[in-house]
Amino acid sequence: MGIDSGTQSTKALVVDAWNGRVLGAASRAYDLIPKLPPGAKEQHPHTWRDATIRAIQEALKAAKAAAAEVMAIGVSGQQHGFVPLDKRGEVIRPAKLWCDTSTAAECDEIMARLGGLEATIRATGNAVLPGFTASKILWLKEREPKNYARLATVLLPHDYLNFWLTGQKVMEYGDASGTALLDVKTRQWSEEALRAIDAGLRDKLPPLISSDRPVGSLQPAAAKALGLTGEVLVSAGGGDNMMGAVGTGNTRHGVITASFGTSGTIYACSEKPVIDPVGEIAAFCDSTNRWLPLLCTMNVTAATEMVRHDFGMDLKTFDASVARARPGADGLILLPYLEGERTPNVPDGAGVFFGVTPKTFTAEHFARAAMEGATLGMNYGLRRLAELGVKPKQIRATGGGAKSKVWRQIMADIFNAEVVTLKVSEGAAYGAALQALWCWRLQQGEKVSIHQITDNFVQLNRAETTHPKPQNVALYRELQALQDELSRSLRAVFTRHRCFVLNPRFGEQKS
């Protein structure tokens, strides 16, 4: 079974270990904690646990699978979230998530203590960005000292679910690399980064394990809640991007995956660390004991869904509206930094529609600009990835955005590459199941590699292959330059605007 615990829902897949076929699937939705300050994004870990129980039960029912047939479970989780546990293993406070941008000041503080950006990248391979876990830990220490005094263990979202399933507290290299506390070159905690937060932080971090190892077997309470046996193996699991790489067959050099979900990620498999000296590309480890150079933008379907809901469209109507507008939306450009952005690093950013005229003030133009703007934002990072030697020829698209035919054409035109989709669209959950199978087979004494499994099971959906149109490629190159310049020109304005919005007097004013 593969579990994908995300920002909006938890998905469960039941996968046939002999042929990789998905036998049953289920999903349970939930929301963020409402009415938090701008930039703050939080959920309670119990929400993920309860959703996991229901999703597993419903997926097993859909698959008509007996409890005794389940051999192993793998868990994929949203990266970077900070789950603080006390000495009894109880959650201290809600988890601050990957999309929380309220810790920008703590990022600057950590990097200053490390000696600046270049010294930080030398220590860990990554800059300390607001999305990452490190600044959230310092935020707790400085903003909620009573809660920090209770902190005994730092876990990530998928680690918390593994802990609930097995009773074991561990971290796997791939997800751990997204904390900005791991030296990705050595796969060991960076003592310099830890000391920049707290001299005693090392004792609050769990042991590290490799990606092919099991965490353990189901503990009695979890087995009872799930209706499964205690013999079920739980694999190391990983972050959603690491599991998405496995689920899309991105387990060997030359494959690039683009995930179009709430956020957008593009990543590749590398046999060695790919470290960006300016810190825009994340130098992560993957969940196959290799590396995963990755770029992340925070606002993809978040932007398109905002526009779709505002105009009262269903998905079919929205796609049709996009198709009716010309490529380039007659000059209407969305800068999709709805509540901050990670690549480029603009934590104070806000969404901007630029080029609004009587001609472009239509539902069709806003719909197309949202789709194009989110994709151009991802392409900003893809171009940086190419500068570091990771160049796309084929993009494997996954996530909700990949289901749209018109969006796939926009992807191909903006990325200037062939775009393909996968027969199993839930890449992270499928990857978690395949990693669980890999772990289980290794425990049975087999000598099998993860890419042997993904080569056998991951299949492309050839009917949805999309190629770039040269005339659109040239148009989007110009539009990209405009979006890039717009972003740079507004950086100081974004900061002033965030201060204005956070001013208590602003909230007290009455019309």
Side-chain angles (χ1 to χ4, degrees):
M1 295 196 70
I3 311 302
D4 177 27
S5 178
T7 316
Q8 297 178 316
S9 67
T10 291
K11 305 176 184 70
L13 298 184
V14 180
V15 176
D16 189 317
W18 298 107
N19 56 28
R21 190 163 61 90
V22 175
L23 303 176
S27 178
R28 301 295 295 186
Y30 40 78
D31 295 314
L32 300 172
I33 294 173
K35 299 180 181 179
L36 297 177
K41 296 287 184 290
E42 298 179 4
Q43 285 173 333
H44 201 290
H46 291 177
T47 301
W48 314 327
R49 178 199 64 194
D50 296 344
T52 297
I53 293 171
R54 296 295 298 276
I56 285 179
Q57 292 172 338
E58 292 173 13
L60 287 169
K61 185 177 180 180
K64 297 181 174 60
E69 292 181 275
V70 180
M71 295 291 103
I73 294 175
V75 178
S76 162
Q78 50 179 306
Q79 283 190 257
H80 314 312
F82 171 34
V83 181
L85 300 185
D86 64 17
K87 62 183 180 182
R88 296 176 301 167
E90 299 294 332
V91 177
I92 295 171
R93 73 174 314 280
K96 294 184 81 64
L97 305 183
W98 63 272
C99 46
D100 188 303
T101 58
S102 65
T103 63
E106 285 76 15
C107 292
D108 294 340
E109 190 174 343
I110 293 169
M111 289 200 289
R113 292 176 184 176
L114 284 167
L117 176 63
E118 291 183 6
T120 300
I121 292 175
R122 282 199 300 273
T124 66
N126 288 299
V128 179
L129 302 178
F132 295 167
T133 318
S135 62
K136 298 173 175 62
I137 301 172
L138 183 58
W139 183 94
L140 186 71
K141 180 182 179 183
E142 295 184 341
R143 311 286 183 97
E144 297 181 0
K146 290 183 179 179
N147 280 335
Y148 190 80
R150 298 171 56 201
L151 181 66
T153 307
V154 173
L155 293 182
L156 300 171
H158 109 267
D159 301 326
Y160 171 76
L161 288 174
N162 279 349
F163 168 57
W164 175 75
L165 289 168
T166 67
Q168 302 299 314
K169 302 171 188 172
V170 297
M171 268 194 200
E172 168 268 349
Y173 296 133
D175 215 3
S177 66
T179 62
L181 297 173
L182 190 80
D183 182 344
V184 300
K185 300 181 294 295
T186 64
R187 301 186 196 269
Q188 299 295 322
W189 297 118
S190 165
E191 294 299 331
E192 298 100 313
L194 299 182
R195 286 196 300 269
I197 297 173
D198 186 336
L201 183 56
R202 179 67 184 81
D203 295 334
K204 303 178 192 301
L205 293 169
L208 291 163
I209 64 171
S210 62
S211 307
D212 55 354
R213 300 296 301 166
V215 176
S217 298
L218 288 184
Q219 62 175 331
K224 182 179 180 181
L226 296 170
L228 298 174
T229 69
E231 287 80 39
V232 176
L233 192 74
V234 179
S235 69
D240 51 3
N241 293 304
M242 291 76 189
M243 293 292 97
V246 176
T248 58
N250 195 340
T251 56
R252 58 170 75 245
H253 179 73
V255 178
I256 291 183
T257 301
S259 175
F260 286 74
T262 306
S263 64
T265 51
I266 297 180
Y267 43 83
C269 180
S270 176
E271 297 293 333
K272 60 182 181 180
V274 177
I275 295 175
D276 184 354
V278 299
E280 288 193 320
I281 300 300
F284 291 155
C285 303
D286 74 357
S287 290
T288 73
N289 299 321
R290 296 179 180 84
W291 284 267
L292 192 81
L294 176 146
L295 66 97
C296 175
T297 62
M298 290 175 55
N299 307 282
V300 180
T301 61
T304 56
E305 287 294 279
M306 177 186 70
V307 174
R308 185 175 73 81
H309 286 300
D310 197 47
F311 284 101
M313 302 180 192
D314 59 23
L315 288 169
K316 185 177 180 180
T317 305
F318 184 77
D319 277 10
S321 297
V322 173
R324 283 196 296 271
R326 296 192 301 178
D330 290 311
L332 183 64
I333 304 171
L334 172 63
L335 199 60
Y337 306 164
L338 302 186
E339 288 196 74
E341 187 51 276
R342 181 161 140 188
T343 309
N345 184 26
V346 192
D348 292 336
V352 177
F353 277 102
F354 180 80
V356 180
T357 66
K359 181 179 182 179
T360 62
F361 197 65
T362 72
E364 289 82 1
H365 285 86
F366 274 75
R368 180 144 200 138
M371 200 173 274
E372 291 176 340
T375 312
L376 289 165
M378 292 178 70
N379 193 47
Y380 172 92
L382 183 62
R383 289 179 303 152
R384 179 62 187 152
L385 203 58
E387 291 170 2
L388 296 173
V390 183
K391 298 181 180 180
K393 293 182 180 177
Q394 181 193 77
I395 303 286
R396 295 190 176 188
T398 186
K403 298 175 184 177
S404 165
K405 181 178 180 180
V406 66
W407 202 339
R408 291 195 300 272
Q409 187 62 60
I410 289 172
M411 295 175 201
D413 294 340
I414 289 178
F415 297 153
N416 192 20
E418 178 186 76
V419 171
V420 299
T421 61
L422 290 303
K423 288 192 174 180
V424 178
S425 60
E426 298 296 345
Y430 193 56
L434 295 186
Q435 191 211 49
L437 173 61
W438 181 39
C439 179
W440 183 80
R441 288 176 64 176
L442 290 173
Q443 292 299 301
Q444 304 307 304
E446 293 186 52
K447 295 186 182 298
V448 59
S449 68
I450 187 64
H451 66 76
Q452 286 177 302
I453 292 173
T454 58
D455 286 353
N456 285 337
F457 289 166
V458 177
Q459 297 180 25
L460 300 183
N461 191 349
R462 296 289 183 185
E464 293 183 350
T465 299
T466 309
H467 297 95
K469 297 178 180 179
Q471 68 274 24
N472 291 345
V473 170
L475 181 148
Y476 284 126
R477 192 176 295 121
E478 293 182 43
L479 203 64
Q480 182 79 61
L482 285 169
Q483 192 196 58
D484 291 349
E485 187 172 350
L486 182 64
S487 172
R488 290 190 297 268
S489 68
L490 288 175
R491 303 290 167 85
V493 178
F494 284 142
T495 301
R496 288 176 57 196
H497 179 263
R498 176 64 67 90
C499 291
F500 175 74
V501 171
L502 291 175
N503 190 325
R505 291 177 298 172
F506 178 73
E508 294 167 3
Q509 289 176 358
K510 297 180 180 180
S511 59

